[in-house]
Amino acid sequence: MFKKLSFAVALSLMSQMVAAHSLTIQLENVVPDTGDIRVAIFDDEKQFPNGEFAYSATVAADTSLMTITVDGLPTGDFAISLFQDLNQNTELDTGFFGIPKEPYGFSGDWKKGKATFEEAVITINGDTEISINMYD
């Protein structure tokens, strides 16, 4: 009986533990030594890409090739939106017709333009590495 009780307690404790994973983002075409890279990680399709995000990070832009690591992500589907805040005003500056004036990028199969959640979605079920090419 003691063995059954110990196993049940251990199983209960393990089920309460949430796996935390790291996401490593390799960025290309960053404007070196100018502004910050602002990363937003979404877990809700309805919020992507301009709504409430689940996780975020801000890192000083230092070189044209950068690595950003976000720790503590649970297992699941996420879409990443990021931009280089050249003038550090905390928002993506846009011009006529909403075209970005600052470098930007999305995760997933996105190529250029505004991504949909389906285009940007990635699955995290362990430590994950992705590459994003910044466009301006």
Side-chain angles (χ1 to χ4, degrees), residues 1-9:
M1 175 142 172
F2 182 74
K3 287 183 181 180
K4 288 182 182 178
L5 181 59
S6 296
F7 178 76
V9 170

Side-chain angles (χ1 to χ4, degrees), residues 10-30:
L11 189 60
S12 175
L13 289 173
M14 288 189 320
S15 68
Q16 293 175 7
M17 295 172 49
V18 175
H21 309 295
S22 294
L23 171 64
T24 302
I25 305 168
Q26 303 289 334
L27 287 180
E28 299 178 29
N29 296 325
V30 175

